Amino acid sequence: MDLLKQRIMQDGKCYPGGILKVDSFINHQMDPNLMMDLAKELVRIFGDLPINKIVTIEASGIAPAILVGYLMQLPVVFIKKKQPKTMDNMLTAVVHSFTKDRDYTVCISNSFLTQDDHVLFIDDFLANGNASKGVIDLCQQAGAKIEAMGFLIEKAFQKGGDFLRSQGIRYEALATVKSLDNCKIDLI
């Protein structure tokens, strides 16, 4: 999506270790108009699928997921990175955060992810696919079907896309980063 690519080139920052910082418009300070345009594009891409639930993971996927859910008139459930004291009957999985370089035990209530669900997973980044692996694990535990996964940005030089293709999971990214070598942003 050209609008997102332009914004990445204009406001994105590259850091050593393959980190693309988009916190001025996506995942810290958000541009709500851009976010709505991104959500509309995700709905255009995935609107033909038999989806009945949008799922995301804390925290940066929440904004685009809510907008997609609003446009599709579907419930949005976010997987939590900390277990609330009030959550019973939960499903759990371990997810490694590339950016923070730590493991999280994530959880979701089995009241909100069931065998009747046809899921669209929305997140800000696809890097090594760790969040996606956690979602796949949770959906398998629940008996839910993943219809597709949508990402704002994919880092094609990491292994997440290869993993999802090997699992036969349909996914789309609105912008794809070919390389961040020498801290130069190279988009496809």
Side-chain angles (χ1 to χ4, degrees), residues 56-68:
T56 191
I57 194 164
E58 283 185 327
S60 298
I62 293 174
I66 287 173
L67 292 173
V68 169

Side-chain angles (χ1 to χ4, degrees), residues 38-55 64-65 68-69 71-72 74 118-123 126 146-152 164 169-174:
L38 300 178
K40 287 176 181 176
E41 181 65 8
L42 290 167
V43 170
R44 186 194 66 74
I45 292 168
F46 298 118
D48 64 326
L49 297 176
I51 298 160
N52 69 339
K53 192 160 287 174
I54 309 298
V55 173
V68 169
L71 292 170
M72 295 181 84
L74 293 173
H118 293 261
V119 170
L120 172 60
F121 174 61
I122 300 291
D123 206 2
L126 173 60
I146 298 173
E147 294 293 340
M149 294 186 171
F151 304 92
L152 302 184
L164 292 178
I169 294 176
R170 177 182 170 185
Y171 83 93
E172 299 281 341
L174 301 183

